[in-house]
Amino acid sequence: MRHIESVDEMKAVCREITRSGRTLGFVPTMGALHEGHASLVRASRAQCKATAVSIFVNPLQFGPTEDLDKYPRAMERDSRLLQELGVDVLFAPTVAEMYTPGATTYVEVSEISNRLDGVSRPGHFRGVATVVAKLFEIVRPDRAFFGQKDAAQVAVLRRMVRDLAMDVQLVVCPILREKDGLAMSSRNVYLSAVERKEALVLNRALMRVQHAADAGERDVARLIETGKSVIAEEPGARLDYFAIVDPDALEAVSDISRGALVAVAAYVGSTRLIDNLLLTAR
Ligand code: AMP
């Protein structure tokens, strides 16, 4: 596995791969890797001849009071894991390398970036879209792999790729969970043992909504109430949002018959966690 920090070198190596006729898969991450990330790498390895992974804790997507400084970093362990997974290229640039001093260009996917997580994290999706657009330009992958875990991010990036006619296919992979149902996340390391148990309430709320929908409940307001009431039963959790939306536009739906995204965000202690499920058309 090549370990590259320079943008120019990364471009050269990726061009070499594509010029040799190999399909290139790309998995962007912020590191502190877990099985969720590994599942994206495995999907890329299965679908593409070569796989590049980036590890970059992107300051642009963190708000001024968020966890940029304490975000977990584990480069040596990550690098070993990626090597074992058969990754061809690891791109881990510094902030100065990614953002040339004086850089003033941003990618703004308007409207949709102000929904779900965009409400309590203003500017977050501008940071995500800007870094992913730049990474796509550096790597120029045939396919890029993202997790359904970050459902709003997927919607924003799909829109960006469509609106800017980017030549990349997005592949969305299912949410990997711990045995007890907690969605895997690099941020789970922040949770104390008590909080770790309290955090299960997110998945529990989603499952309750799934069961209600399976049992024939069609009223979206009542489904949302069901989810919110489960969160309210856990004093250790503070709800940010519980929403049922169109998975592409992230706008509230009044009817789940054509399928819908059920998404939740809540603070457990000071850790903000997200989870979601897709209701299928019925
Ligand atoms: P992150 O390092 O948190 O920016 O995540 C990098 C990629 O891994 C994103 O596309 C995430 O959606 C994806 N990812 C994170 N957690 C999971 C998970 N539990 N299951 C599947 N994909 C995930």
Side-chain angles (χ1 to χ4, degrees):
M1 183 179 77
R2 307 265 308 248
H3 184 139
I4 296 173
E5 291 182 7
S6 133
V7 168
D8 287 342
E9 191 185 349
M10 185 64 183
K11 280 187 174 180
V13 167
C14 292
R15 297 303 173 276
E16 201 180 289
I17 290 171
T18 34
R19 250 185 256 120
S20 74
R22 285 183 291 165
T23 50
L24 179 56
F26 177 46
V27 183
T29 81
M30 298 208 299
L33 303 177
H34 49 67
E35 267 304 303
H37 298 109
S39 73
L40 304 186
V41 171
R42 290 193 186 99
S44 175
R45 295 257 300 136
Q47 295 182 32
C48 303
K49 283 273 188 278
T51 291
V53 174
S54 63
I55 294 182
F56 181 62
V57 183
N58 174 32
L60 263 192
Q61 70 189 68
F62 287 78
T65 62
E66 291 182 354
D67 56 343
L68 173 62
D69 291 336
K70 71 164 186 169
Y71 194 83
R73 288 159 168 91
M75 189 56 81
E76 272 183 31
R77 193 177 59 83
D78 288 352
S79 173
R80 238 179 295 122
L81 175 70
L82 295 174
Q83 171 99 46
E84 282 163 22
L85 287 168
V87 166
D88 300 273
V89 191
L90 164 59
F91 180 49
T94 61
V95 173
E97 178 68 10
M98 266 308 267
Y99 296 118
T100 326
T104 52
T105 305
Y106 301 93
V107 176
E108 181 119 20
V109 186
S110 62
E111 296 176 28
I112 192 170
S113 290
N114 300 321
R115 296 178 186 143
L116 297 189
D117 308 280
V119 175
S120 55
R121 304 188 71 189
H124 170 66
F125 288 124
R126 180 172 100 141
V128 170
T130 301
V131 79
V132 172
K134 182 154 185 174
L135 288 167
F136 280 179
E137 181 53 25
I138 294 166
V139 177
R140 298 208 192 143
D142 297 286
R143 292 178 184 199
F145 297 79
F146 293 90
Q148 175 61 26
K149 159 90 190 326
D150 296 271
Q153 170 171 285
V154 165
V156 168
L157 295 178
R158 270 198 204 291
R159 184 69 64 89
M160 175 185 83
V161 165
R162 190 200 71 176
D163 288 356
L164 298 181
M166 289 177 161
D167 215 357
V168 58
Q169 191 187 330
L170 300 192
V171 181
V172 181
C173 302
I175 303 176
L176 264 270
R177 298 179 179 281
E178 305 289 353
K179 281 200 185 70
D180 58 10
L182 181 69
M184 288 184 184
S185 163
S186 303
R187 289 191 167 94
N188 290 348
V189 299
Y190 298 151
L191 301 170
S192 68
V194 172
E195 290 169 346
R196 173 69 185 69
K197 291 206 179 77
E198 294 168 344
L200 294 174
V201 73
L202 279 82
N203 186 232
R204 201 156 64 237
L206 294 172
M207 295 317 295
R208 195 79 69 80
V209 170
Q210 174 84 71
H211 288 143
D214 289 347
E217 180 61 82
R218 291 285 172 276
D219 187 299
V220 172
R222 272 208 292 273
L223 288 170
I224 292 175
E225 254 336 290
T226 300
K228 283 184 171 175
S229 70
V230 176
I231 303 284
E233 285 162 17
E234 173 51 75
R238 182 165 55 84
L239 186 67
D240 179 0
Y241 66 73
F242 197 101
I244 301 186
V245 298
D246 175 90
D248 297 316
L250 305 182
E251 283 182 303
V253 290
S254 52
D255 163 23
I256 58 166
S257 61
R258 273 171 286 126
L261 171 71
V262 186
V264 59
Y267 291 87
V268 175
S270 55
T271 306
R272 187 174 178 282
L273 299 174
I274 58 173
D275 201 350
N276 69 83
L277 74 85
L278 282 167
L279 293 176
T280 49
R282 47 193 76 226

